[in-house]
Amino acid sequence: MRLTTIVFSVVSAASLFYSAEAAASAAGYLLLNPNNGPAKLKALADNAATIPVNRIFLAFARPGMVYVPGSNTLEHVGLSYVNGGDFGFADLKAQVAKLQAGGVEVFLSMGGWNYGCFPYVYTYYSVGGYGTSTPNYYKIIDNGGSLASCTEANMWCYTCEPKSEGTVLADFDVFPEPSNSTTWKQAQDYVRSKAGGDPPVFHPEMIPGRQWKDSLNGQTNLVPGSDYYIQVNRDPYQDLVYLGKDLGLAGIDIDYEEMWHADYYKKGPATGPWTSHQTVYKYTAIMKDVEINIKAIAPNLKIATAASAAGGLSTNWWGGNLKNIWYNMFKWYPDAYNFIANSGGVNVMTYDLSNNQQFHECPDTNVCSLSQQVLYYMNSYKTNGMTAYVGYEIGIPAYPAFDHDPTHQLPLTQTELTAILAGQGSRGGFFWELYKSKGQPNNLEATAAAQQICKAALGATEPRCGGVIPPFDGSPTTTIEPTTTGTPSTTTPTVPTTTTNPGCTIAAWNPSTAYNSGAQVSYNGRVYSARWWSQNNKPTDGLPWEDKGACGGTTQPTGTPGSCNGVAAWSAGSSYSGGAKVSYNGFLYTASWWTQGDTPGSSSVWVKGAACGSALRRRRLF
């Protein structure tokens, strides 16, 4: 496919309102979880003046969140920061203040992959909606054998997340259409008034936490998420703005990845190509709702968004991704697009790319390396008059899966980063994720990438660009400074002594040792096996380590990973009043009303909270 170069006349008109685009920044996402999220954030805040980023995105709030202004609690935000009390509100606010006093802007991000994936619809209409030759159809074969065999019992054949993650429906969410909200209705009216494609059709009947009937095949399933925002008559997008104001944030970020929505509501001939106009309308309404509330509640709050790599392309869409979404938004709603682009920025997820031509995954002839694809996609935004910023992924890409097709993965190496920076660096950029492992010896780790992105965006003489991403909880870090040839040199600090594990015959994990796939270590009385190459990744932090059970045991544990601080496990025979808390499958749940026998994760009565222990929620493009 080739780019169609179109510059719309509306660009000139829009530029009269917006005086300048968002300033260049070096930004990193920080995934929060109660295991080590607070420690990571504190380490960053304590070193705010010297870390090699000047913006941090805190990830992720649920799209169906609730926050009442002045309540000062994160209980219904879904941020997975702290269990109990104010769920970390006061601590988070204090760390935000330290970061921003040290010159680092802090944004709160809503959405992400899990908090935007509807497992049933994604399986039936994205992965399995285009025949059996799509790149992820192997998951259906491996976990169910056929599309018809994919049910909630086998998590609809584990297309949103692999079976090894142990996910349940409560791990997922969708972006709601809060028809109870005045500002949402204003946003809908705005979308209808400027729609340039198919007539807009919204879907208030698809309510998180409630049953929804698929009109295409008659199946009825529970929509992931919670309807709590309806019960208390709140608009989650308005509440995100209120929360940003009360936390003293610099901005908020919408990470919209609902590919299932585009595939389900597509229009066009049976054999394609199709239009995804309904997804353009839904996404634009979300962003307009946020914009309306920012202007009314917190005018100084910035807004950013994470966009699809193919989102700036104008060419035909053949399904399976979010191609054209931001292109059409800019075409029909340039003022809404530019409000974002000239505030916190449109940040393009140019990662999780593949060069597997079996599925035509190189976007054009001889455009197959990571840097070639990144520059191709970024050029589509530029040539269509759209301001946007480039994204990088540290370590093992989420797509294609490392355990299925590692040969077609395109990780970030020094050579590829140098090439991307040469074409995009001065415009700024962001990366996923601040503490993610590099995964393989040739991949860049976070500090090395951050330093170079920082110098390209902020200038080679900017002092913070020579800093490092700090260790947390006493973990060692590696100080990496690019040499004049662009190849990182490494200085390893003193490694603290690790705790021995009585009764374990397997050698204890050592943070300074490099482990290959399949290597086994012992740590705190348990055995762990490496899923891929790893160094300085604590086994209890999740990936890349797999917990194989207690020393001397023969089976992998099935109980709750980590601790929910004394919260009792859910029991089918017990009754629970509204506000009661239980632990189930490694997560904290809170009852919205009286219940008995309703399984957490499969009933809207239970609102999922923070993880007792969690791995990275991966962000994906395809």
Side-chain angles (χ1 to χ4, degrees):
M1 53 188 169
R2 297 186 180 276
L3 291 177
T4 300
T5 303
I6 302 175
V7 180
F8 301 105
S9 60
V10 292
V11 177
S12 298
S15 64
L16 295 176
F17 181 79
Y18 297 97
S19 59
E21 64 186 52
S25 65
Y29 274 82
L30 176 64
L31 184 71
L32 295 175
N33 64 67
N35 256 2
N36 50 42
K40 290 175 179 177
L41 186 59
K42 182 179 185 302
L44 292 163
D46 288 346
N47 296 276
T50 59
I51 56 177
V53 295
N54 67 343
R55 178 180 290 181
I56 290 175
F57 294 98
L58 304 178
F60 289 106
R62 280 187 176 270
M65 62 164 280
V66 169
Y67 176 77
V68 177
S71 62
N72 296 345
T73 177
L74 301 176
E75 182 174 7
H76 298 292
V77 174
L79 193 57
S80 295
Y81 187 58
V82 172
N83 291 326
D86 65 359
F87 291 82
F89 181 93
D91 180 69
L92 184 61
K93 184 171 184 176
Q95 305 304 339
V96 167
K98 284 198 293 184
L99 280 162
Q100 298 194 150
V104 180
E105 292 183 321
V106 182
F107 283 57
L108 175 60
S109 182
M110 169 189 277
W113 177 252
N114 281 22
Y115 287 171
C117 195
F118 189 158
Y120 159 71
V121 182
Y122 183 64
T123 297
Y124 274 75
Y125 296 100
S126 294
V127 176
Y130 300 97
T132 60
S133 298
T134 58
N136 279 322
Y137 201 88
Y138 78 92
K139 297 179 180 180
I140 292 172
I141 298 298
D142 290 352
N143 296 295
S146 67
L147 183 61
S149 65
C150 293
T151 65
E152 185 179 359
N154 63 353
M155 192 41 61
W156 290 279
C157 288
Y158 299 98
T159 59
C160 285
E161 286 288 359
K163 187 175 183 178
S164 60
E165 293 295 303
T167 50
V168 295
L169 188 62
D171 288 304
F172 304 99
D173 209 338
V174 299
F175 281 79
E177 298 183 15
S179 54
N180 57 307
S181 163
T182 299
T183 55
W184 175 257
K185 292 175 181 176
Q186 292 173 8
Q188 287 179 305
D189 290 343
Y190 166 83
V191 167
R192 294 188 185 102
S193 70
K194 296 176 178 289
D198 303 325
V201 179
F202 291 93
H203 296 279
E205 75 281 0
M206 184 179 281
I207 300 173
R210 297 187 184 179
Q211 297 292 328
W212 169 77
K213 184 176 182 179
D214 179 353
S215 62
L216 299 181
N217 68 9
Q219 284 197 45
T220 298
N221 287 287
L222 188 69
V223 180
S226 170
D227 65 353
Y228 184 65
Y229 72 94
I230 294 179
Q231 298 173 41
V232 294
N233 195 31
R234 305 295 303 177
D235 177 348
Y237 310 123
Q238 182 182 73
D239 283 357
L240 180 65
V241 175
Y242 277 124
L243 178 59
K245 180 181 179 181
D246 284 2
L247 283 173
L249 297 170
I252 54 178
D253 173 56
I254 303 295
D255 188 338
Y256 183 81
E257 302 186 42
E258 288 188 335
M259 284 176 281
W260 61 266
H261 189 276
D263 292 313
Y264 185 79
Y265 292 112
K266 67 179 184 287
K267 298 291 184 181
T271 57
W274 301 279
T275 63
S276 54
H277 297 169
Q278 300 308 324
T279 306
V280 178
Y281 300 142
K282 178 180 179 180
Y283 170 73
T284 302
I286 292 168
M287 302 309 293
K288 193 64 178 180
D289 192 358
V290 174
E291 176 189 334
I292 292 168
N293 281 288
I294 284 177
K295 290 177 176 178
I297 298 167
N300 293 325
L301 201 64
K302 296 179 181 180
I303 180 173
T305 193
S308 156
L313 291 167
S314 62
T315 47
N316 286 336
W317 176 61
W318 295 94
N321 57 25
L322 292 179
K323 185 178 181 181
N324 305 150
I325 301 300
W326 285 264
Y327 168 84
N328 283 322
M329 181 195 190
F330 179 73
K331 180 180 178 181
W332 302 329
Y333 310 100
D335 56 322
Y337 183 94
N338 285 330
F339 183 79
I340 306 164
N342 300 329
S343 178
V346 175
N347 302 306
V348 184
M349 294 182 287
T350 42
Y351 45 73
D352 290 344
L353 304 174
S354 168
N355 60 5
N356 189 343
Q357 282 300 71
Q358 177 185 352
F359 305 109
H360 311 287
E361 292 184 312
C362 297
D364 208 342
T365 305
N366 298 321
V367 180
C368 286
S369 72
L370 177 65
S371 57
Q372 287 172 331
Q373 292 198 41
V374 168
L375 295 175
Y376 179 98
Y377 289 123
M378 293 307 301
N379 190 53
S380 73
Y381 281 85
K382 181 180 179 180
T383 57
N384 286 317
M386 306 159 68
T387 300
Y389 301 93
V390 66
Y392 307 85
E393 183 173 23
I394 305 301
I396 301 291
Y399 175 88
F402 75 93
D403 57 353
H404 176 74
D405 185 19
T407 61
H408 290 107
Q409 287 187 329
L410 297 175
L412 185 65
T413 63
Q414 182 60 54
T415 299
E416 298 290 7
L417 177 60
T418 299
I420 298 170
L421 289 174
Q424 289 287 320
S426 63
R427 296 184 55 76
F430 70 101
F431 64 93
W432 174 265
E433 187 263 1
L434 279 158
Y435 285 96
K436 189 181 177 190
S437 163
K438 69 178 185 177
Q440 296 289 349
N442 291 332
N443 297 354
L444 277 178
E445 55 87 55
T447 288
Q451 288 178 343
Q452 294 173 76
I453 296 167
C454 181
K455 290 181 179 181
L458 307 182
T461 60
E462 166 60 42
R464 73 166 58 252
C465 295
V468 302
I469 297 169
F472 63 96
D473 281 344
S475 301
T477 190
T478 300
T479 302
I480 298 184
E481 186 70 32
T483 66
T484 56
T485 62
T487 302
S489 59
T490 305
T491 303
T492 304
T494 303
V495 177
T497 303
T498 57
T499 304
T500 58
N501 302 308
C504 280
T505 58
I506 297 174
W509 171 76
N510 188 321
S512 63
T513 300
Y515 298 97
N516 293 319
S517 174
Q520 289 195 330
V521 299
S522 59
Y523 186 79
N524 288 348
R526 304 189 73 80
V527 177
Y528 294 84
S529 177
R531 286 173 166 150
W532 54 77
W533 187 95
S534 170
Q535 185 176 25
N536 192 24
N537 298 107
K538 191 183 298 183
T540 51
D541 288 346
L543 295 175
W545 292 101
E546 181 180 4
D547 188 338
K548 305 301 288 186
C551 290
T554 58
T555 60
Q556 186 174 344
T558 57
T560 299
S563 170
C564 274
N565 300 324
V567 177
W570 173 78
S571 171
S574 299
S575 61
Y576 300 94
S577 301
K581 299 184 187 304
V582 298
S583 60
Y584 183 76
N585 276 358
F587 285 85
L588 182 75
Y589 290 85
T590 303
S592 296
W593 55 84
W594 186 92
T595 177
Q596 184 175 21
D598 296 306
T599 306
S602 298
S603 172
S604 61
V605 65
W606 291 106
V607 177
K608 187 179 181 185
C612 302
S614 67
L616 290 180
R617 285 192 177 92
R618 295 191 296 277
R619 298 158 57 91
R620 306 183 199 188
L621 180 60
F622 298 123

